[in-house]
Structures are given as C-alpha cells and as structure tokens.
C-alpha cells in the first residue's frame, strides 16, 4: 500500500514538472519568460474600463500569437468598424454572443455594438495604454510593454501572425 502511494506521488510530481517545463519552453520560445509567473488572478482585468483582459495578453505571449482571442467586454464600435477589424470577433447583442458578421446581418452596418472577445492584437490596438492593469498586478508584470508588442509598436513578429 505504502509503495503504491509513493508511486502515485512520483507520477504526480513528474507530471507537474513536465507541465511546468512545457509552460517554460513556450514562454522562452515566445521570448517572454516572465509570462510563466502570471497566476491568473485577474486583478489586472478588474481594473480595465474597456473590459480588456491583460491576462489574455499574457496567454497570447505564451502561445506566441496575437491571434489568440481574449475578453474585451466593453468596447463600443459601429458594426461596420467591427467588420473591418475582424468579422469573426464576438460581440454582445441582446445578451447573446454573435460574430460581427452575424451581427451585421441582424442589425445592419450602422448599428453600434459592444464587443465580447477580440484577437489579442486587435484588443491591444483599442487599449488606452492607461497603465491601470499594470499598476494592479501584484507581480508588476510588464503588461504595457506586452501591449506595445501586440500593437506592433515594438516590431515583434509573433504578435502579428499566427504561429
Ligand atoms: S492599459 Fe489598456 S488593458 Fe490596461 S487597463 Fe488601461 S485600457 Fe485596459
Ligand atoms: S494581475 Fe498580474 S498575475 Fe494577475 S492575472 Fe493579471 S498579469 Fe497575471
């Protein structure tokens, strides 16, 4: 019995170390090793008046792609503009989540809508860069630098293209 318990513990520790190693490898590949320290507390998200999810930006960094969809729950824009940015972004219409393409068919191009999820690189472009999220992060992770990278201001390649 004791021996079985030791084996189970060893497997659990091994699996945990393998998972951490996989996360670290991703973070290093995206050249954002600090990203692995984010513990998903969402304190940053709670501070964003646009409803953007900076933790989602961190996930995009870990994935090495600005095409990861992140929450953006309070950005108001005309349907026409949403279509220009990304027809597949999710928007909220009467408590339902539709793509911008579906919203255009239902409401027409001139209606105003509220976003729900956007690609990380698009969300970074509507961000005010006020810094409230970074100030709210207990680890002081460099969220503004990450947002600049996602916007393409820092000339990084991973933000603009899928892997
Ligand atoms: S810097 Fe951008 S993501 Fe952060 S709180 Fe301000 S608007 Fe939101
Ligand atoms: S506040 Fe910092 S640690 Fe918490 S989810 Fe946001 S980036 Fe991660």
């Amino acid at each position: 019995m004791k021996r079985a318990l030791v084996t189970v513990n060893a497997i659990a520790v091994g699996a945990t170390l393998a998972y951490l190693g996989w996360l670290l490898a991703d973070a290093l590949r995206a050249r954002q090793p600090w990203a692995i320290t984010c513990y998903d507390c969402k304190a940053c998200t709670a501070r964003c008046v646009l409803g953007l999810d900076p933790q989602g930006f961190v996930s995009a960094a870990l994935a090495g792609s600005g095409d990861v969809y992140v929450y953006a729950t309070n950005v108001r824009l005309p349907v026409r503009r949403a279509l220009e940015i990304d027809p597949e972004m999710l928007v909220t219409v009467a408590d339902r989540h539709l793509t911008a393409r579906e919203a255009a068919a239902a409401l027409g191009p001139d209606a105003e809508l509220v976003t729900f999820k956007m690609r990380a690189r698009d969300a970074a472009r509507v961000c005010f860069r006020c810094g409230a999220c970074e100030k709210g992060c207990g680890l002081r992770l460099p969220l503004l630098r990450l947002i600049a990278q996602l916007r393409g201001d820092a000339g990084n390649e991973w933000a603009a293209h899928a892997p």
Side-chain angles (χ1 to χ4, degrees):
M1 178 68 181
K2 195 174 169 187
R3 197 173 176 156
L5 211 56
V6 169
T7 307
V8 169
N9 280 341
I11 290 171
V13 169
T16 304
L17 289 176
Y19 178 63
L20 289 175
W22 174 69
L23 282 181
L24 184 60
D26 264 357
L28 289 172
R29 194 166 51 235
R31 299 201 190 113
Q32 315 283 349
W34 55 267
I36 196 175
T37 62
C38 169
Y39 57 101
D40 201 9
C41 67
K42 300 284 189 195
C44 50
T45 309
R47 290 189 165 220
C48 183
V49 291
L50 290 175
L52 303 182
D53 180 14
Q55 192 276 331
F57 295 155
V58 175
S59 298
L62 279 170
S65 171
D67 286 340
V68 170
Y69 279 81
V70 303
Y71 288 105
T73 57
N74 197 26
V75 179
R76 288 168 192 276
L77 73 181
V79 172
R80 190 189 310 279
R81 181 73 187 120
L83 284 174
E84 283 167 9
I85 296 172
D86 173 18
E88 300 310 314
M89 79 164 69
L90 287 180
V91 301
T92 303
V93 177
D95 293 333
R96 289 175 59 217
H97 302 309
L98 308 176
T99 63
R101 196 192 307 279
E102 290 167 336
L107 305 172
D110 297 322
E112 190 182 80
L113 47 73
V114 180
T115 59
F116 180 61
K117 277 189 172 186
M118 304 172 79
R119 289 180 299 209
R121 59 189 164 97
D122 297 329
R125 286 185 190 124
V126 300
C127 159
F128 297 146
R129 291 190 277 180
C130 64
C133 52
E134 189 168 295
K135 286 187 194 125
C137 176
L139 299 178
R140 290 290 192 271
L141 296 182
L143 299 174
L144 287 174
R145 194 178 79 205
L146 179 53
I147 289 164
Q149 289 177 322
L150 280 162
R151 292 166 66 101
D153 295 353
N156 64 313
E157 212 171 277
W158 68 265
H161 306 286

